[in-house]
Amino acid sequence: MSPKFVDTETYAEFRASVGEEFAAELVGTFLQEAPLMLSELKAADASQDPDGFRRAAHSIKSNAEIFGATALADIARHMETSGATTIEALERTLSQTETALRALIDA
Amino acid sequence: MRDAPGHLLVVDDNKVNRLLMSRSVEMLGHRVSVAENGRIAMDMLKSDSYDILLLDIEMPEMDGFEVLEALKADPGLRQLPVIVTSSVEGLDNIVRCIELGADDYIPKPVNKVLLGARVSASLERKRLQDEQKQMLNRFATPEVAEHLSASGFAIGGERRVATVLFCDIRDFTAISEFMTPEATIDLINTYYTLMFEAVSSQGGIISLMVGDGLMALFGAPNALENSAQAAVSAAREMLAMTAALNEERAAANDPPLQIGFGIATGEVVAGYTGTHHRATYTCIGKTVNLAARLEAHTKVAGCEILLDQATRARLTDNAYIREINDVRLKGFAEAINAFVL
């Protein structure tokens, strides 16, 4: 569990709020949805769709905040508000966040 | 404090968000439905009843701002409480939501305790509003009630032309002397129910009830095409219903109810009278006095309905009308012409 990618305290609060079983389910859903959100982001960038790009970045940010994935949230927020196309950086951060989250629900 | 469970609609294009919001709402003890975008949400709002809308902003097809505008434009949905739940960036976006009619804003990720407090507050507010509407509907038709609540129950008057109808039960005191208190109240309430029916169906409102006496208003606060005709039709309807009631009473060996009507048309001053804490909608003026005196005079003239000249002039139905000239009424210096239906 890496505090860099998932904030321990935020995650613990989240898990306590919805229950351990549901928390694990929701993480699972996020892990399923994340590749889709990433594709949407890439597609919007490729087709020069600023609104689609912003919405995709916004979705990733919004979900990241739920689990305390601050690094992912920060980069997604930056892309949402500035339109900066730092997709590779986001992809790396996302990958490491996924690893951290998997470790948390397997624990 | 636990509310009665409400039915909430969660609108969000993101699956994880929808699931999380649904979970929180269910844990708070309420029923939840979900919609993926604004368009689906609007369809669902029109086909089922919801107590609160939990609305995201960033959505494809129809975003939260567009939903708020659509709600405002729909008279059936205008009052629906909306809590915007969004991680939208920028204070001005939040301000825009409030200006578009959102009742509240909760930032994402939504804190369950905060959500619970806001949902409870919204449900309570809605419950009070519904109660108020119900009470209002007791005194007015739905259209009038809508008008009154839209105008904010403003204390104050306006001058307008309207038709005033007074009605009472002949010798009610004598009849009720031999009845139990319960039976008396029961009878009065039956009478009120019938009167309310007759008046409402013609677009009027019951303004005052004092014992067995009743005052109804046609053409205020909402204008009617022909307030005089409406009042006369209401009186006729009421007489017909009383006749039916009297058949039942005869079968039970009860004395028949006889009612008299006085109807006058003219300028009145109408508005909410009272204080901010306790008020009724009523009207005053010469026209009101005339209607009351005409009603009283029906006993003297031995008829059921007496109209003033102004009412007579506006009638469109071809009823047989007899004129009584030179009627002297208390409080009126000159004699007037009255008309008997």
Side-chain angles (χ1 to χ4, degrees), chain A:
Chain A
M1 182 173 64
S2 172
K4 189 179 179 205
F5 291 98
V6 177
D7 178 70
T8 340
E9 213 178 293
T10 309
Y11 186 80
E13 262 175 45
F14 155 69
R15 197 176 59 183
S17 168
V18 296
E20 195 169 330
E21 202 180 306
F22 183 83
E25 274 172 30
L26 199 67
V27 168
T29 306
F30 173 70
L31 293 171
Q32 275 175 353
E33 296 288 303
L36 300 167
M37 291 193 277
L38 186 61
S39 318
E40 269 172 30
L41 187 69
K42 287 178 175 169
D45 178 48
S47 62
Q48 312 244 13
D49 172 9
D51 281 337
F53 186 84
R54 190 191 69 239
R55 271 201 303 273
H58 174 89
S59 288
I60 295 172
K61 171 195 80 178
S62 173
N63 288 172
E65 284 173 337
I66 294 170
F67 307 109
T70 30
L72 182 60
D74 287 344
I75 192 171
R77 183 182 306 109
H78 179 67
M79 291 168 78
E80 179 191 350
T81 52
S82 72
T85 54
T86 50
I87 299 180
E88 274 167 33
L90 180 133
E91 197 162 359
R92 279 197 303 274
T93 311
L94 175 60
S95 176
Q96 285 172 292
T97 306
E98 287 169 331
T99 309
L101 284 171
R102 266 193 212 97
L104 279 167
I105 58 176
D106 287 341

Side-chain angles (χ1 to χ4, degrees), chain B residues 7 36 49 60 70 83 101 142 164 237 242 245 253 268 287 308-309:
Chain B
H7 187 196
E36 275 176 32
S49 100
I83 302 178
V164 182
E237 222 177 280
T242 309
L245 178 66
N253 282 326
V268 298
T287 311
D308 73 337
Q309 181 121 29

Side-chain angles (χ1 to χ4, degrees), chain B residues 260-290:
Chain B
F261 294 87
I263 305 178
T265 302
E267 202 177 66
V268 298
V269 170
Y272 261 86
T273 56
T275 66
H276 279 285
H277 300 291
R278 233 186 139 75
T280 73
Y281 185 82
T282 189
C283 61
I284 57 175
K286 218 161 146 189
T287 311
V288 178
N289 300 345
L290 180 54

Side-chain angles (χ1 to χ4, degrees), chain B residues 114-163:
Chain B
L114 190 60
L115 179 67
R118 301 284 171 87
V119 165
S120 286
S122 254
L123 287 176
E124 180 60 18
R125 213 181 310 147
K126 183 169 192 278
R127 192 186 65 79
L128 288 172
Q129 265 174 11
D130 289 343
E131 238 176 47
Q132 188 183 62
K133 255 203 186 136
Q134 240 188 351
M135 278 200 343
L136 189 50
N137 282 331
R138 286 205 200 128
F139 300 98
T141 63
E143 301 81 19
V144 172
E146 179 66 46
H147 169 102
L148 287 174
S149 80
S151 75
F153 296 83
I155 302 282
E158 49 162 2
R159 228 177 256 285
R160 60 196 295 152
V161 172
T163 302

